[in-house]
Amino acid sequence: MAGNDWINSYLEAILDVGPGLDDKNSSLMLRERGKFSPTRYFVEEVITKFDETDLRRSWAMASSIRDSEERNTRLENMSWRIWNLARRKKKLGRKMKQKSVIARVPKPLLADMPEELSEGERGDTVSEISPKGGVSTKGGMKRINSMDVLKNFATQQKEKKLYIVLISLHGLIRGENMELGRDSDTGGQVKYVVELARALGAMPGVYRVDLLTRQVSAPGVDWSYGEPTEMLNPLNDDDCETGESSGTYIIRIPFGPKDKYIPKELLWPHIPEFVDGALTYILQMSKVLSEQIGDGKPVWPASIHGHYADAGNAAALLSGALNVPMLFTGHSLGRDKLEQILQQGRQSKDDINTTYRIMRRIEAEEITVDSSEVIITSTRQEIDEQWNLYDAFDPVLERKLRARNRRNVSCFGRFSPRPIVIPPGMEFKHIVPNSGGADDDSEGYQDNSATPNPPVWSEITRFFTNPHKPIILALARPDPKKNLTTLVKAFGECRALRDLANLLLIMGNRDNIDEMSTTNSAVLLSILKLIDKYDMYGQVSYPKHHKQSEVPEIYRLVARTKGVFINPAFIEPFGLTLIEAAAYGLPMVATKNGGPVDIKKALDNGLLIDPHNQQSIADALLKLVADKQLWSKCKQNGLKNIHLFSWPEHCKTYLARLACCRPRHPHWESCAVGYEYSESQSPEDSLRDLNDLKISLEGVINDHGGVDCSQKSDTNSQSLKSKTSVGKKLENLTKLPVKEETELLELRRKKAVFVVAVDCGLTKHFVDIINMIVEIVRVDKKGENLGLILSTASSISEIHSFMKASKIGLSEFDAVICNSGGDIFYPSNEGSPKSLPFVADSDYLSHIDYRWGGDHLKNTLVHWAASISERKKDKELVVECDSASRHCFSFKIKNLESIPHVKDLREFLRKQALRCRSVYCQNGTKLNVIPVAASRAQALRYLYVRWGMSLVNTVVIMGDYGDTDYESLRGGIHKTVVINGVCNEARKLHSNRSYPLEHVITYDTPNVVQVEECKKDQVIKAMAKLQV
């Protein structure tokens, strides 16, 4: 008799309330002005939801166990009186129906209840919330018919065959039985990226989707995470045409420690290694797809989409190496997290940086803004309040630049990514709503012996003394930012809430608290202490284990008890669990910081709270659980509007935005496959209300890194009189001769390639190092088909003069990467006697031209240099010099200590929306500014992509310090020889970094070998150790 079980539980709950909760002299009336009584809630539930026969059975049972105990006597009397009330209600209902009046229990009946209950059966009252208006209508959740969506979309995308790459690096990712909550890195993002990949793969026009992540083969981690490839099952089983498809796959790239599963904060030094591995995979896949759908031509990704800061940094490097569009989703942002933690006052900024590597994360997010075409957010709040904190993004400036682009007006070399709001999707196929309507709650109380309760229900309810009370569900990791301790305090200190409801905390999976991370175990122990402090045993459930497949059953259990779902996080980027809960008919209480604001606006199914205000949490929970009309209204609204968050809708918007990105691909290819450029914009993109389309060109950086608006850029200067064609190739460069192209193809056949990247300037020591390496490569290992490349910050003319004076043969080098990666030259005997014996790689110049500000950027830099010199009253402090390049602007620096640090210069240029890289080099005597897609490390990747040079067999020789781009050369799949004691003067370039160099480089890798002295025998031993 399941019905009787519910009745008995409610009767027990009424008795548990007891008289005199707060004041012995308080009134025992069931209803009292301005007060709420849990007793009244349960009496109404019993009277309105159960049949008269069930009530009589409960009274009969209470009579049979009557004894001398006061509680049993009270139970018998209360059962009889409630049964009597139910009979009166039924009788009165019939009369009202006959009179064609509403078939509802009139309020006077409830007002008469106090006279029918004895003092021992009545509880004190705490607060009563008046129900708001609003009549719920019948009807369950409307199922999402993805067939219609896909069929309509298929006609527009029929001819496309896109290849899309997604990247999510941290956590444990697999397609089935995801271990969500296992640790702080395996959470909602894992589920999001897997479902997004699966949904995109089912869309018409998408041929293949690859989700790239880290391969983990470590003790304590399931073997499935070490599998290189996993095919995801299709999202749709519907029998509709979705177009030709190669499928959706999880591709696991090995990088980082091979036998360790490490947290995301420790992944930063290993990201270049992932980029090189992913680059190898994508090149191989482009060849495979060329045979399948490309008519023999390589098929490049339509986009590379990074998720979270680490993957965003990797996507920026891959996008630059392949010259394809990049998309980015932050999920959560570093600057916002930093502010939230500082507000809590528990840690200093230095402590936060040490624990979370927060400054490296913030720099990665700034880099993603520089490189992205589109930034995808879940909510508008994320754009206005979170991305607005970044130097590289200004919402107002972005709108102005977009408007000027539409009108074909010059943006003066400024660029900004397009932020768009696409709420995460959800798969509704497995959601089975109640057969009754939204207001038909009786189904949850009925017995159905044919379908036993799911095992997870008993695992949860074993904690509860009274398992049938409404359940308040929180589903989150025991992480400080999830704010679960405040929730437990709010529940513990609100007596009315404790009398009315139970609290369920699903806090991931654990075997032993001592084996959890320090942070998670500290939160869990705090919760256990609070349960003991407030004596909440029997009222709070915190099971140790649950499967991801059991989460829907958890939602159903909470909905059956007419409970609510709460997300009390200090900030929630989106809150996918709120969508899931709504799909199962659960109203929500959620933080007002972040995505829940937009979810509440769309679904209108709950209340928002201040997560720092404990009383606000308790009040909202009590109001939503106690007010039955409000609860039913929120449930109905959630079910009615949930279709707004379906995956087909998400993917339609996603692909429409992707189609608006200007197609890019390696410039030595004549065309790309699967692109269509469209200038059309959706209605919400209208900028007619934006009157001020002027871009301020004012502002030069001062000596403290701030902005000085006292000087204006010379917009009438000769360099700005004619519109610069950013994509135009250098006019004074000769096209690479066929002979040179044939010779460069030999790079792929080199047994090994040695790259001299020692940043000690053009000094005598540098000459000695070059001569030593040349002797090893060209003399000692003669006949082994080895390559030699010079990588430097100097210009090609400086290199030529230096080599000529040092009597170093130019023919010894296969390539010269100069201007900090702004140019690549190859030795050549072609040309006039007066010209330099080098030929530029014009394909590389086109490759890195993306978002290059050209003369407009140069004009800003010239004014910056003039301002610094004027402030310090030294005209030679910062002086422009000729780099002989259109893709590198160089300045000589007289005194490094008198000019802003490189991080301040980067901040200034980002705030101007000028996308570039600033590099202090040659021991602080020179500044190079190059395109955002260029760097010395990226130049090596270009040689791999363009000419097939093996990165695995590349050896980079460098000092223990270097230019400010030093860290980018230290990582990757190439080998590295570090000569200690060399370039020590460059240490000062790294003295005022945003984050320590140790956060982004590692010595714990077999690919890096250090030598104590710059001696030939030691370098040879190091090469042997690297198996070169």
Side-chain angles (χ1 to χ4, degrees):
M1 293 188 302
N4 270 25
D5 290 340
W6 284 84
I7 294 172
N8 296 337
S9 292
Y10 286 155
L11 296 178
E12 290 290 340
I14 295 172
L15 292 178
D16 287 339
V17 173
L21 296 180
D22 298 307
D23 185 359
K24 294 183 179 179
N25 298 320
S26 62
S27 170
L28 294 178
M29 296 292 287
L30 198 62
R31 177 190 291 269
E32 191 172 59
R33 184 183 298 274
K35 299 276 188 167
F36 164 76
S37 171
T39 301
R40 179 171 182 253
Y41 176 92
F42 292 117
V43 170
E44 287 181 348
E45 283 294 293
V46 173
I47 292 176
T48 58
K49 301 300 182 185
F50 296 98
D51 188 79
E52 177 186 339
T53 305
D54 289 328
L55 296 176
R56 185 184 181 284
R57 286 173 182 169
S58 295
W59 168 71
M61 183 180 297
S63 299
S64 66
I65 62 173
R66 179 176 55 184
D67 54 25
S68 58
E69 292 186 13
E70 179 188 356
R71 184 181 181 92
N72 288 339
T73 303
R74 290 165 56 202
L75 179 61
E76 180 192 1
N77 293 336
M78 182 172 59
S79 299
W80 187 89
R81 286 174 170 79
I82 290 179
W83 174 32
N84 188 42
L85 279 175
R87 294 170 64 191
R88 291 178 57 190
K89 167 186 171 287
K90 185 176 181 181
K91 183 178 180 180
L92 184 59
R94 286 197 297 264
K95 291 182 179 180
M96 299 290 284
K97 191 173 183 180
Q98 292 173 358
K99 297 178 180 180
S100 302
V101 187
I102 60 170
R104 279 191 145 192
V105 182
K107 292 183 179 179
L109 176 62
L110 297 179
D112 292 338
M113 285 183 189
E115 301 175 6
E116 300 295 333
L117 296 177
S118 63
E119 292 187 359
E121 299 157 4
R122 294 184 301 224
D124 188 22
T125 57
V126 180
S127 66
E128 177 176 78
I129 312 295
S130 300
K132 290 186 177 180
V135 179
S136 301
T137 58
K138 298 262 184 179
M141 182 184 71
K142 295 182 179 180
R143 298 295 300 274
I144 303 303
N145 189 349
S146 57
M147 287 184 61
D148 293 338
V149 175
L150 294 180
K151 284 180 179 178
N152 293 335
F153 193 70
T155 57
Q156 305 171 13
Q157 309 293 321
K158 192 172 182 180
E159 301 301 322
K160 291 187 177 181
K161 295 179 180 179
L162 300 178
Y163 172 38
I164 297 175
V165 174
L166 310 178
I167 305 176
S168 183
L169 298 184
H170 62 263
L172 298 172
I173 299 179
R174 63 185 180 190
E176 304 296 332
N177 298 320
M178 289 175 276
E179 299 182 82
L180 303 184
R182 169 195 168 111
D183 53 68
S184 60
D185 291 348
T186 309
Q189 179 181 327
V190 170
K191 183 177 182 181
Y192 175 95
V193 295
V194 170
E195 292 191 352
L196 172 62
R198 189 181 275 123
L200 284 172
M203 295 298 289
V206 177
Y207 183 76
R208 182 182 176 100
V209 177
D210 284 332
L211 170 57
L212 308 187
T213 188
R214 183 180 178 226
Q215 185 183 43
V216 181
S217 301
V221 175
D222 192 79
W223 63 269
S224 60
Y225 300 111
E227 291 294 297
T229 304
E230 177 185 349
M231 184 174 183
L232 294 178
N233 295 326
L235 177 68
N236 253 304
D237 294 332
D238 294 333
D239 195 12
C240 67
E241 180 184 358
T242 59
E244 184 181 359
S245 175
S246 170
T248 303
Y249 300 84
I250 297 176
I251 306 299
R252 299 184 178 92
I253 307 293
F255 71 100
K258 294 183 179 180
D259 59 345
K260 292 181 181 179
Y261 171 52
I262 60 177
K264 59 179 175 291
E265 290 80 11
L266 302 183
L267 284 178
W268 295 111
H270 309 290
I271 286 179
E273 184 182 355
F274 166 82
V275 172
D276 292 344
L279 190 59
T280 300
Y281 170 80
I282 293 174
L283 289 178
Q284 293 172 349
M285 185 51 57
S286 71
K287 294 177 182 178
V288 172
L289 295 180
S290 71
E291 299 175 358
Q292 296 179 1
I293 58 174
D295 296 327
K297 297 179 181 179
V299 176
W300 304 106
S303 67
I304 297 178
H305 185 173
H307 294 265
Y308 196 78
D310 48 11
N313 199 158
L317 294 174
L318 282 170
S319 171
L322 293 170
N323 195 26
V324 297
M326 173 189 167
L327 282 63
F328 180 67
T329 300
H331 292 276
S332 69
L333 299 180
R335 287 196 187 275
D336 190 67
K337 178 173 182 175
L338 177 61
E339 287 194 356
Q340 291 287 333
I341 297 177
L342 288 174
Q343 284 180 8
Q344 296 171 23
R346 294 198 299 260
Q347 291 178 289
S348 67
K349 187 173 182 179
D350 290 339
D351 291 338
I352 296 170
N353 198 28
T354 301
T355 304
Y356 299 104
R357 304 292 197 267
I358 198 76
M359 298 311 296
R360 178 61 183 91
R361 174 181 170 182
I362 290 172
E363 176 61 22
E365 289 160 345
E366 296 280 11
I367 290 171
T368 62
V369 180
D370 287 336
S371 303
S372 297
E373 301 257 359
V374 174
I375 294 177
I376 297 177
T377 69
S378 300
T379 65
R380 188 72 214 176
Q381 184 266 357
E382 187 178 343
I383 299 174
D384 296 336
E385 299 183 22
Q386 296 184 46
W387 277 113
N388 193 35
L389 300 173
Y390 286 78
D391 301 329
F393 183 76
D394 181 344
V396 175
L397 181 57
E398 184 275 326
R399 295 171 67 198
K400 291 181 179 180
L401 292 174
R402 183 157 33 105
R404 295 178 73 92
N405 273 324
R406 277 195 188 169
R407 301 180 183 186
N408 292 321
V409 180
S410 172
C411 292
F412 303 102
R414 270 75 174 167
F415 302 91
S416 184
R418 174 71 188 277
I420 60 172
V421 177
I422 312 180
M426 183 179 173
E427 173 55 31
F428 301 108
K429 183 172 63 174
H430 302 297
I431 297 177
V432 182
N434 292 341
S435 57
D439 290 338
D440 184 9
D441 301 312
S442 60
E443 185 247 357
Y445 306 112
Q446 302 307 314
D447 185 18
N448 189 353
S449 58
T451 56
N453 292 337
V456 71
W457 285 18
S458 59
E459 182 66 20
I460 291 170
T461 56
R462 66 187 177 91
F463 287 85
F464 295 137
T465 302
N466 190 335
H468 295 117
K469 292 164 66 175
I471 295 176
I472 298 168
L473 168 63
L475 181 63
R477 302 186 310 272
D479 189 290
K481 64 185 179 183
K482 298 302 182 181
N483 199 29
L484 293 178
T485 52
T486 304
L487 169 63
V488 176
K489 286 180 184 178
F491 183 78
E493 294 182 6
C494 182
R495 182 59 183 274
L497 192 57
R498 290 174 57 181
D499 288 334
L500 181 61
N502 292 321
L503 178 61
L504 170 57
L505 304 174
I506 303 295
M507 299 178 288
N509 292 283
R510 63 186 184 278
D511 292 319
N512 190 325
I513 295 179
D514 293 335
E515 296 175 358
M516 300 173 66
S517 67
T518 304
T519 303
N520 290 356
S521 63
V523 172
L524 184 55
L525 288 173
S526 298
I527 290 173
L528 296 178
K529 290 178 181 179
L530 288 170
I531 292 173
D532 186 75
K533 175 182 177 180
Y534 296 109
D535 193 15
M536 293 186 287
Y537 297 105
Q539 296 176 312
V540 181
S541 176
Y542 42 96
K544 296 180 67 171
H545 299 98
H546 74 283
K547 298 177 183 177
Q548 179 60 26
S549 59
E550 293 176 326
V551 172
E553 301 299 341
I554 296 174
Y555 288 134
R556 289 191 182 101
L557 172 63
V558 179
R560 189 181 188 189
T561 65
K562 301 184 74 172
V564 300
F565 182 84
I566 181 169
N567 182 336
F570 289 115
I571 184 164
E572 181 58 59
F574 181 70
L576 193 58
T577 51
L578 296 172
I579 305 298
E580 294 176 345
Y584 288 92
L586 282 178
M588 74 169 191
V589 173
T591 176
K592 67 177 184 179
N593 299 326
V597 175
D598 284 18
I599 294 176
K600 163 69 165 55
K601 184 177 180 180
L603 297 183
D604 190 22
N605 71 326
L607 304 173
L608 299 178
I609 48 95
D610 179 359
H612 299 278
N613 188 334
Q614 180 178 312
Q615 190 61 45
S616 170
I617 296 174
D619 289 345
L621 288 171
L622 185 60
K623 178 177 182 179
L624 195 52
V625 175
D627 190 334
K628 297 178 183 179
Q629 284 186 296
L630 178 61
W631 187 93
S632 296
K633 179 181 178 182
C634 289
K635 172 186 175 180
Q636 173 66 13
N637 288 345
L639 295 175
K640 180 177 64 176
N641 299 320
I642 196 67
H643 70 277
L644 298 173
F645 298 95
S646 68
W647 275 119
E649 289 292 334
H650 178 100
C651 291
K652 279 177 58 181
T653 308
Y654 184 104
L655 294 175
R657 292 303 182 190
L658 179 58
C660 292
C661 293
R662 189 176 298 276
R664 294 190 288 124
H665 49 83
H667 275 273
W668 54 91
E669 292 292 333
S670 58
C671 63
V673 178
Y675 291 101
E676 178 180 326
Y677 179 63
S678 172
E679 291 288 352
S680 63
Q681 304 286 343
S682 57
E684 70 268 21
D685 297 331
S686 175
L687 296 174
R688 294 178 182 176
D689 59 327
L690 195 63
N691 297 319
D692 181 16
L693 299 182
K694 296 180 181 179
I695 300 176
S696 174
L697 301 181
E698 302 178 1
V700 291
I701 196 168
N702 59 37
D703 53 321
H704 300 294
V707 176
D708 176 24
C709 297
S710 60
Q711 299 192 30
K712 296 184 178 181
S713 298
D714 184 9
T715 55
N716 295 321
S717 64
Q718 184 66 32
S719 62
L720 296 182
K721 284 185 177 179
S722 61
K723 184 177 180 181
T724 302
S725 177
V726 178
K728 190 177 181 181
K729 297 181 180 178
L730 293 177
E731 298 175 356
N732 58 342
L733 290 178
T734 306
K735 184 179 179 181
L736 201 63
V738 177
K739 178 182 176 181
E740 263 71 15
E741 287 195 11
T742 304
E743 292 176 354
L744 287 170
L745 287 173
E746 293 294 322
L747 278 174
R748 74 178 61 193
R749 300 186 180 94
K750 298 291 184 183
K751 183 178 178 181
V753 176
F754 293 83
V755 180
V756 181
V758 181
D759 299 329
C760 56
L762 303 180
T763 61
K764 176 65 169 57
H765 195 192
F766 189 50
V767 174
D768 295 338
I769 293 174
I770 290 180
N771 284 328
M772 178 184 67
I773 302 302
V774 168
E775 185 177 350
I776 293 173
V777 174
R778 301 304 189 198
V779 179
D780 296 355
K781 297 181 179 292
K782 186 177 181 180
E784 294 189 20
N785 193 23
L786 303 179
L788 186 59
I789 294 174
L790 179 62
S791 178
T792 176
S794 302
S795 67
I796 191 62
S797 57
E798 290 173 330
I799 293 295
H800 177 251
S801 301
F802 173 75
M803 289 185 171
K804 191 174 181 180
S806 304
K807 298 181 180 180
I808 300 175
L810 299 176
S811 60
E812 303 291 355
F813 293 92
D814 297 283
V816 178
I817 301 171
C818 57
N819 292 322
S820 298
D823 293 277
I824 298 179
F825 288 88
Y826 309 107
S828 174
N829 295 323
E830 303 287 338
S832 63
K834 293 183 179 181
S835 62
L836 297 178
F838 295 95
V839 60
D841 190 331
S842 56
D843 281 338
Y844 178 69
L845 299 179
S846 299
H847 199 75
I848 64 174
D849 201 54
Y850 173 66
R851 290 192 170 177
W852 179 236
D855 290 339
H856 303 290
L857 170 61
K858 180 179 180 180
N859 185 67
T860 301
L861 291 169
V862 168
H863 277 282
W864 168 81
S867 175
I868 297 298
S869 298
E870 183 178 347
R871 286 178 177 275
K872 296 296 182 178
K873 298 180 180 179
D874 186 348
K875 293 183 179 181
E876 298 182 355
L877 183 60
V878 184
V879 180
E880 181 185 6
C881 59
D882 185 15
S883 65
S885 172
R886 287 279 299 277
H887 288 80
C888 177
F889 300 136
S890 298
F891 295 83
K892 286 291 183 183
I893 299 173
K894 181 179 178 180
N895 183 2
L896 182 66
E897 296 179 356
S898 300
I899 66 172
H901 296 284
V902 67
K903 64 179 182 180
D904 298 321
L905 177 57
R906 288 171 182 165
E907 176 185 344
F908 164 70
L909 293 173
R910 282 169 174 160
K911 288 182 176 179
Q912 295 283 317
L914 294 165
R915 311 302 175 184
C916 55
R917 293 180 187 266
S918 305
V919 183
Y920 282 175
C921 43
Q922 295 182 354
N923 297 324
T925 63
K926 189 177 183 181
L927 164 66
N928 283 341
V929 180
I930 57 177
V932 69
S935 73
R936 290 189 290 169
Q938 289 291 80
L940 293 178
R941 294 187 178 104
Y942 168 84
L943 293 176
Y944 168 51
V945 175
R946 180 69 173 96
W947 304 113
M949 183 188 79
S950 173
L951 292 176
V952 175
N953 297 324
T954 298
V955 181
V956 177
I957 303 165
M958 55 199 314
D960 51 3
Y961 284 94
D963 301 343
T964 55
D965 64 348
Y966 175 80
E967 65 192 63
S968 64
L969 283 168
R970 276 294 299 266
I973 62 175
H974 63 256
K975 314 295 194 302
T976 304
V977 176
V978 178
I979 306 176
N980 291 334
V982 174
C983 305
N984 269 334
E985 291 185 21
R987 182 193 298 263
K988 60 188 177 183
L989 297 178
H990 304 274
S991 61
N992 193 28
R993 301 171 56 94
S994 299
Y995 49 89
L997 194 60
E998 292 74 21
H999 285 183
V1000 288
I1001 65 173
T1002 180
Y1003 294 94
D1004 186 21
T1005 170
N1007 285 346
V1008 178
V1009 175
Q1010 299 183 70
V1011 298
E1012 296 302 321
E1013 297 181 88
C1014 186
K1015 293 184 178 180
K1016 179 180 174 181
D1017 59 333
Q1018 292 195 24
V1019 174
I1020 292 176
K1021 288 181 181 178
M1023 293 178 180
K1025 191 173 181 180
L1026 292 170
Q1027 299 180 350
V1028 177

